[in-house]
Amino acid sequence: MGVDTYSSTTITPLKYGRQCGITKEMVEDGKWDLLTYNIENIGYVAALNEDVLAIASLAAAATASSQLVATVGATCTVPQITGAIKYLEDAFYGGDSRVLGVSTAVAQDMREIDLFVSADRTGTRDAFTQGLIGNVYNTPVFENPLITANYAYMWVPRFAYAFAEKRPLTVEKRTETQRDWTGACISQRIATGYLYKESVVQIATS
């Protein structure tokens, strides 16, 4: 038996943040809590940013490993999906739980694949009642509009990428008497990086 070896990966968190300020007049005239509303919106944007970072790590891993399942056609096909599964199996990730993240364009392609939507084949009408079958070949499917159009990624969550968080999403109250407003600073220090590039496969359509 061989001896275990270890390598290191450096992930350097970056600071992301926004500031919102509400004047005293806006507080007096507003029909709802404008400050809280703005903070909630910034929190939503921060969550989207985490998705962007994760997708970038998946793209970087797939590029580094050259594990790409492409097609000359304009739509995602069943052989592309099974080809991505084979990539993971060949890299000894076949026994691990995998997921499939798709763009809105690829999701539309999948909804039009008869194999995935025919009730007599799937044994369920979920494709019609819920939009998209939750699992394809025992692989959970997630649609994300932030994924580049005509792209999809299949990966093994345990090995694909990691988040490094030095500061969780933090809200700090701030007041500026000169401008006569009360607001908040929302910041976060976070980064992502891929770990094992062979645990990620990219699917691309033309």
Side-chain angles (χ1 to χ4, degrees), residues 52-133:
V52 170
L53 295 175
I55 293 168
S57 292
L58 293 174
T63 300
S65 66
S66 299
Q67 294 189 150
L68 170 66
V69 183
T71 180
V72 295
T75 61
C76 179
T77 63
V78 174
Q80 280 187 292
I81 298 171
T82 57
I85 294 173
K86 185 177 183 300
Y87 262 122
L88 296 179
E89 291 173 340
D90 289 344
F92 300 99
Y93 292 107
D96 295 288
S97 299
R98 57 181 177 263
V99 296
L100 176 62
V102 302
S103 66
T104 54
V106 174
Q108 179 182 359
D109 293 342
M110 294 182 68
R111 293 187 186 104
E112 296 174 357
I113 296 177
D114 182 66
L115 177 64
F116 298 148
V117 299
S118 295
D120 59 338
R121 296 187 181 187
T122 63
T124 175
R125 290 182 55 82
D126 288 350
F128 299 102
T129 59
Q130 300 179 18
L132 182 66
I133 292 178

Side-chain angles (χ1 to χ4, degrees), residues 3 5 16 29 31 35 55 58 61-62 81 92 97 130-132 137 146 152 159-160 170 186:
V3 178
T5 59
Y16 300 91
D29 298 339
K31 299 301 182 182
L35 180 58
I55 293 168
L58 293 174
I81 298 171
F92 300 99
S97 299
Q130 300 179 18
L132 182 66
Y137 298 120
L146 296 174
F159 303 105
T170 303
I186 299 90

Side-chain angles (χ1 to χ4, degrees), residues 145-199:
L146 296 174
I147 296 177
T148 303
N150 304 322
Y151 276 23
Y153 297 95
M154 185 177 291
W155 71 95
V156 180
R158 279 184 62 196
F159 303 105
Y161 63 88
F163 274 94
E165 186 180 60
K166 279 290 187 179
R167 180 193 304 163
L169 196 62
T170 303
V171 180
E172 296 177 306
K173 187 176 180 180
R174 181 175 179 182
T175 301
E176 286 200 15
T177 54
Q178 291 182 340
R179 297 183 181 181
D180 197 24
W181 63 252
T182 299
C185 292
I186 299 90
S187 63
Q188 182 181 35
R189 291 182 63 205
I190 194 171
T192 62
Y194 72 82
L195 300 177
Y196 297 92
K197 59 185 180 182
E198 294 83 5
S199 66

Side-chain angles (χ1 to χ4, degrees), residues 16-32:
Y16 300 91
R18 289 197 177 189
Q19 173 181 279
C20 62
I22 307 297
T23 64
K24 184 177 294 185
E25 290 75 21
M26 294 173 68
V27 173
E28 294 170 347
D29 298 339
K31 299 301 182 182
W32 59 86

